[in-house]
Amino acid sequence: MTAVPVAARFGAAARRYEDHAPVQRITAERLADDIALLPLPRHPRILEIGCGTGLLTRALARRIGPADWTVTDISPGMLAAAQSRPPPPGTVRYRLLDGERPEGLPGGYDLICSSLAVQWFSDLNAGLGRLAALLAPGGRLAVATLAAGTFQEWRAAHREAGLSAATPAYPPLDAIRPGMGNLTGGVRGERLLHNHPDGLHFLKGLKGIGATSPAPGSKPLSPAGLRRVLAAFDRRGATVTYHLAYGMWKKTDQRPAGVFVTGTDTGIGKTLVSAILARAWNADYWKPVQTGVSEEPGDTDTVAQLAGLPPERLHLPAYVLQAPLSPWAAATLEDAVVDATSIVPPATQAPLIVEGAGGLYVPIDDTHMMIDLIARLDLPVVLAARSGLGTINHTLLSLEALRRRGIAVLGVIMSGPLSAGNKEAIERFGNVRVLAEIPPLSKVDAATVEALACGIPSLEDCLTELGGAPAVAG
């Protein structure tokens, strides 16, 4: 898609853009919600690509406050519309820019963001890679774009009329990967339905936002062809599906030093998974918060025995509590004080396996959940899940919660009776790799762990895939 026609179409629509942009407004608000969860520095340096009339700018300003803003768009008309609004708090500059080829920018941004603009890139992943190169170490790239399945009803109406739609082809979620190696993160999807009175209103809405550029090589419909398509579209109810992709990536200076093992629930097999990974990756083990020692041995001793780890490869918990409850509940019962912000990982020479307590939203103290600790430790996650009934829902919800926080997911390990259907569903709809399936075990000992560890992909391979190599699962 060439830049000049796109800029001209959007510029012509700038004056009344927001009258026709309910989907764009919803998407900007949801992307801003995700960004607000990130651990950005105070007064962050922000580059926005494709600001349009300023929907995302305003949504972000309400959530994060003062910043150093560079707000850009390819269309002079759109940029002027954004600039006519009250500026966001902090320092702000507006700049005409082709976001796919962002030349002349200084770089070092803490956040580069874009809502429903990068789908116009001629090469999405290459363009995202060029943007990621402008991030500061630890900076975040956060985008919302359109994914495969968008406008499926409009395409179906064309097929019914014996025609081909000129709608651009959008990528599947697992194909959206910035062309740059030192990134961690991923993409989550959302489906949004937009009802129209009829097909003419749908087309009027697209024209109203300037989104009328056809796919390269497409021919416009004849008047008779358009009438047939509109009739078929109206018979289908004039509803349009938007498949939205929210991508969140972090620029890293080096490979993560380990992984955080969490689960979709308590009693999900995190300790066994941790032992298998420690054995497979020759890693150290650390459980920051241990509860329930009044009823059973601590998980550190269990992992040491199962993985055959010597004492120097084990690291003591920051907190040990007696009751088999959440850390917050156990500490309250035992009149102890737990402070999640005081938990600091040990220095290690080997990769570090960190095991959480319970699931993502188990409270650690009065103000922090387990997911807050995961985000602060800044390690990719291996998610332990059951294989049976209910696992699809629990696993997909956990994956979405992690990705909304910008937490990279290395993969899922399922435990229980093998279920090819559940595995396929988790990989497909969760856009994640199932690293292993642990069947029911008659005996759990060091020999069992050794055998299971042999089937685990290497940590280097997992991190390489996480950093932007072609997807295996999906």
Side-chain angles (χ1 to χ4, degrees), residues 11-75:
R15 187 172 63 87
R16 298 197 61 188
Y17 177 89
E18 294 192 19
D19 295 338
H20 302 278
V23 172
Q24 287 71 20
R25 183 176 290 104
I26 291 169
T27 305
E29 293 289 338
R30 290 182 181 171
L31 179 61
D33 282 341
D34 288 356
I35 292 171
L37 296 171
L38 298 176
L40 296 173
R42 291 188 62 188
H43 208 86
R45 295 190 66 207
I46 298 174
L47 170 64
E48 183 183 352
I49 299 299
C51 66
T53 56
L55 291 173
L56 178 60
T57 313
R58 301 196 299 271
L60 272 181
R62 292 194 301 272
R63 290 164 173 81
I64 66 175
D68 183 301
W69 306 82
T70 301
V71 180
T72 75
D73 201 279
I74 196 172
S75 164

Side-chain angles (χ1 to χ4, degrees), residues 210-395:
T212 55
S213 297
S218 299
K219 296 180 179 179
L221 290 174
S222 67
L226 179 58
R227 285 194 295 272
R228 296 203 308 273
V229 170
L230 287 172
F233 183 73
D234 290 348
R235 285 194 297 270
R236 292 173 171 271
T239 296
V240 175
T241 298
Y242 289 80
H243 283 272
L244 300 167
Y246 296 89
M248 192 81 70
W249 299 274
K250 178 183 177 182
K251 185 175 183 179
T252 59
D253 280 336
Q254 57 187 8
R255 297 285 194 186
V259 299
F260 196 108
V261 177
T262 189
T264 59
D265 200 350
T266 190
I268 206 74
K270 295 188 300 295
T271 302
L272 176 58
V273 167
S274 297
I276 293 169
L277 295 180
R279 185 66 177 172
W281 295 339
N282 196 27
D284 288 15
Y285 172 83
W286 178 50
K287 179 144 186 162
V289 184
Q290 174 71 67
T291 63
V293 296
S294 64
E295 296 189 359
E296 55 187 27
D299 293 328
T300 301
D301 291 341
T302 302
V303 171
Q305 295 173 11
L306 292 177
L309 297 181
E312 62 269 20
R313 305 294 294 278
L314 304 167
H315 303 275
L316 295 177
Y319 295 98
V320 178
L321 299 161
Q322 299 296 313
L325 303 169
S326 72
W328 169 77
T332 301
L333 186 67
E334 297 166 29
D335 199 23
V337 177
V338 173
D339 179 5
T341 64
S342 71
I343 298 174
V344 178
T348 64
Q349 297 299 314
L352 180 65
I353 307 299
V354 182
E355 182 186 347
L360 295 174
Y361 284 93
V362 166
I364 299 176
D365 57 24
D366 287 340
T367 56
H368 297 91
M369 305 286 186
M370 192 59 60
I371 194 170
D372 298 309
L373 177 62
I374 297 172
R376 199 167 65 79
L377 295 180
D378 199 22
L379 293 174
V381 161
V382 172
L383 182 65
R386 293 188 178 90
S387 62
L389 188 66
T391 192
I392 297 173
N393 179 67
H394 294 162
T395 304

